[in-house]
Amino acid sequence: MEEKYLLYRKRWALFIPIIIVAFFFSGCGNHEQDSKADPDSKDEKVPQAAKGVKGMLTEGPGKFSGEKFDEKEIKQTVQKWPKGLSAEEAYNRLVYLLAEDYKTYVDQFDSLSTDFQLNDTPDAGKTTEGKTSHTLNVAVLVDSSGSMAGKVNGQTKMDLAKRSVKNFVSKLPEGANVSLTVYGHKGSNSESDKEMSCKSIEEVYTLAPYKESSFKASLNEFKSAGWTPLAASIHSVKDIFEEGTKEDQKPTNVVYVVSDGIETCDGNPVKEAKQLNRSNIKAVINIIGFDVDNQGQKALKEVAEAGGGTYATVNSSAELDNQFKTEQNRIKSEWRKWALQNHGDVSEQYFDKVGELSDISDGMQKLQQQEEDRFRLVMDKYLSDHLEEYGDLNQLVNDRSKKIKSYRIDRRQEIKKEISKSYREAKRKIRDRDVD
């Protein structure tokens, strides 16, 4: 029995060191695993905090930023920090824990529109959809058939028409585009010249803003001569407006026809007027009948109605001038209403934009103050007594606050200047288009 007992003791003596070594390595392994699993351990990898304001604005949110702030957990975390941290190391850890998320405010600053929207320009005629537009295009069609050589009050109808048309277009609103087309101005009203005359349709003043010298010169390029291709002339307007219209515009297109008679070239002006009015051009066709008989008045009125516009008969130079003046006054009235409305709308947009800018700035300021207060709380309560470089840490926090504050103030001032500049430009556009 004694021998068995001695043998048993020898065996245990051999196993005990093995067990001790196994326990030792097992304990080390668990400690290493716990260290990796514990984000608050001294081995935690804390990123380098940004030194420039751009990085400061994007390095958040911190672990305990915003609504995640928990002083109890923060205290436990800070108490686990290694001893002897430098100011920069402590600052990196504070940023890692407490940096706020400024990206939302940066994005709001960047996306705030400084542009002002003007209401569409007033409608110069009744459109099929009742819409208005940004640009006014006016195409004037002048009948140059042989009958326009007839006289009224001692002057030819052609000369009177030219004078009235010039006065009319010269007083259109600023920025309006003008086109002048003549038809029937070649050949004669004889049967032999019909084919040539009915093809004579020419835009003598290309759609563009009014220039007195150029427009006056265009009036001298034609005289009364042949037949009356009214339908073909109306048809040509579509190409004129399409050529002079940019894709990003929504123009109001208006046609004024001055004629002393009906279609004589076998065309269908009613059909052409209706198609033009209902096309993507949506042009409105107004007709002034100059010294026209009853049959002609009826036919021209039908064309105007098909084109969504109005018809008026004049029998003298004074009546022709008055009719164009009526059109001028109507357009002027519409543009004055437009100007008054836009002055109010633009002012309202200005205050809305400035108010939105202030809200963004105030929100960012509040967030920054919250961040700074939390930095100070942690520093004063848990770092001031045992951090040797506390003064340097305080300076790092001050620098951070100053840079973020400067960004907010500078960005606000920069955007405010852009808003004010755009506001003045919008007001200038309204003044330029407001006719006296």
Side-chain angles (χ1 to χ4, degrees):
M1 287 292 294
E2 185 176 351
E3 291 179 358
K4 289 183 179 179
Y5 174 74
L6 292 173
L7 181 62
Y8 178 76
R9 290 186 60 183
K10 288 180 179 180
R11 288 177 177 176
W12 268 105
L14 292 173
F15 277 109
I16 287 174
I18 297 173
I19 293 172
I20 292 173
V21 171
F23 178 78
F24 174 77
F25 281 106
S26 174
C28 289
N30 289 338
H31 175 73
E32 182 179 357
Q33 182 177 359
D34 291 343
S35 176
K36 291 180 179 178
D38 183 3
D40 300 324
S41 73
K42 65 180 181 180
D43 295 328
E44 180 182 9
K45 298 299 182 182
V46 177
Q48 177 73 38
K51 296 184 178 180
V53 68
K54 185 176 181 180
M56 292 177 180
L57 295 171
T58 58
E59 63 189 350
K63 182 177 178 181
F64 295 111
S65 65
E67 296 180 356
K68 295 181 292 183
F69 184 81
D70 187 324
E71 187 177 349
K72 182 179 179 180
E73 288 193 30
I74 294 172
K75 177 182 177 181
Q76 293 175 355
T77 300
V78 173
Q79 288 176 341
K80 295 179 183 179
W81 286 0
K83 303 300 181 182
L85 289 175
S86 67
E88 184 174 356
E89 290 172 332
Y91 174 72
N92 291 341
R93 290 171 179 267
L94 283 176
V95 171
Y96 177 70
L97 295 180
L98 301 173
E100 293 292 351
D101 185 5
Y102 296 103
K103 292 190 287 291
T104 298
Y105 293 103
V106 172
D107 291 343
Q108 289 178 351
F109 274 135
D110 292 343
S111 63
L112 179 60
S113 173
T114 59
D115 296 329
F116 286 80
Q117 299 297 320
L118 298 181
N119 292 327
D120 292 339
T121 55
D123 195 1
K126 299 178 295 182
T127 68
T128 54
E129 298 182 3
K131 291 184 177 180
T132 55
S133 65
H134 296 100
T135 304
L136 173 61
N137 293 329
V138 177
V140 180
L141 309 182
V142 177
D143 180 357
S144 298
S145 61
S147 58
M148 286 291 286
K151 292 186 176 182
V152 173
N153 299 329
Q155 299 184 64
T156 65
K157 287 185 281 187
M158 175 58 74
D159 289 340
L160 295 174
K162 287 181 178 181
R163 187 196 67 189
S164 295
V165 166
K166 179 179 179 299
N167 289 337
F168 169 64
V169 299
S170 67
K171 292 180 174 62
L172 287 173
E174 181 76 20
N177 294 318
V178 180
S179 167
L180 177 62
T181 296
V182 294
Y183 58 91
H185 60 297
K186 294 182 179 180
S188 67
N189 53 11
S190 66
E191 190 67 32
S192 60
D193 286 338
K194 180 178 180 180
E195 183 178 357
M196 177 183 65
S197 183
C198 288
K199 292 180 179 179
S200 60
I201 301 167
E202 183 179 357
E203 186 185 19
V204 294
Y205 188 89
T206 304
L207 188 68
Y210 173 77
K211 292 184 178 180
E212 183 177 6
S213 59
S214 300
F215 195 86
K216 184 177 179 181
S218 69
L219 291 172
N220 296 326
E221 293 184 18
F222 60 93
K223 59 182 180 179
S224 55
W227 296 65
T228 310
L230 177 59
S233 181
I234 293 173
H235 181 83
S236 71
V237 172
K238 189 173 188 295
D239 290 336
I240 291 173
F241 284 148
E242 286 181 339
E243 181 67 23
T245 301
K246 296 180 180 179
E247 292 181 359
D248 60 348
Q249 292 178 328
K250 297 186 300 181
T252 291
N253 297 314
V254 187
V255 180
Y256 288 97
V257 179
V258 181
S259 178
D260 72 339
I262 61 175
E263 168 78 28
T264 61
C265 290
D266 306 319
N268 188 337
V270 173
K271 177 182 177 181
E272 295 293 344
K274 183 178 295 185
Q275 288 181 346
L276 183 62
N277 182 244
R278 296 183 181 181
S279 70
N280 62 309
I281 296 298
K282 295 181 175 62
V284 176
I285 302 172
N286 303 300
I287 299 180
I288 301 174
F290 192 12
D291 190 30
V292 183
D293 59 25
N294 291 336
Q295 180 183 0
Q297 291 181 35
K298 182 179 179 180
L300 293 176
K301 183 178 181 181
E302 188 178 356
V303 176
E305 290 176 349
T310 60
Y311 172 78
T313 298
V314 296
N315 295 305
S316 67
S317 61
E319 289 180 1
L320 180 60
D321 288 340
N322 287 336
Q323 183 58 36
F324 272 123
K325 180 174 284 189
T326 298
E327 291 297 320
Q328 290 169 352
N329 289 337
R330 184 173 64 79
I331 295 175
K332 174 183 175 180
S333 176
E334 292 296 323
W335 280 72
R336 178 56 55 84
K337 291 178 184 178
W338 173 86
L340 291 174
Q341 181 181 0
N342 274 275
H343 275 299
D345 288 347
V346 165
S347 295
E348 184 176 346
Q349 290 179 56
Y350 174 82
F351 290 116
D352 287 346
K353 290 179 186 297
V354 171
E356 184 178 356
L357 178 61
S358 295
D359 290 343
I360 296 171
S361 178
D362 292 346
M364 185 173 180
Q365 182 182 24
K366 183 178 179 180
L367 187 65
Q368 182 195 0
Q369 188 62 55
Q370 175 177 278
E371 179 188 89
E372 185 175 353
D373 290 344
R374 290 175 176 179
F375 270 56
R376 300 295 179 194
L377 173 67
V378 174
M379 290 167 59
D380 293 344
K381 277 192 173 184
Y382 310 118
L383 296 176
S384 58
D385 292 337
H386 60 271
L387 188 68
E388 293 183 3
E389 297 182 5
Y390 182 83
D392 294 335
L393 174 61
N394 186 63
Q395 185 61 48
L396 289 171
V397 173
N398 283 337
D399 290 343
R400 175 183 178 86
S401 296
K402 288 179 181 179
K403 288 178 180 178
I404 296 176
K405 179 180 179 180
S406 294
Y407 164 83
R408 176 180 59 81
I409 293 175
D410 292 345
R411 193 76 178 99
R412 177 176 178 172
Q413 291 177 342
E414 177 185 353
I415 296 174
K416 178 69 178 298
K417 288 180 180 179
E418 292 176 4
I419 292 174
S420 297
K421 180 180 178 181
S422 297
Y423 174 70
R424 292 191 297 270
E425 178 65 18
K427 287 285 190 177
R428 184 193 64 77
K429 288 180 179 179
I430 294 172
R431 288 194 300 269
D432 288 347
R433 295 191 174 190
D434 185 10
V435 291
D436 297 326

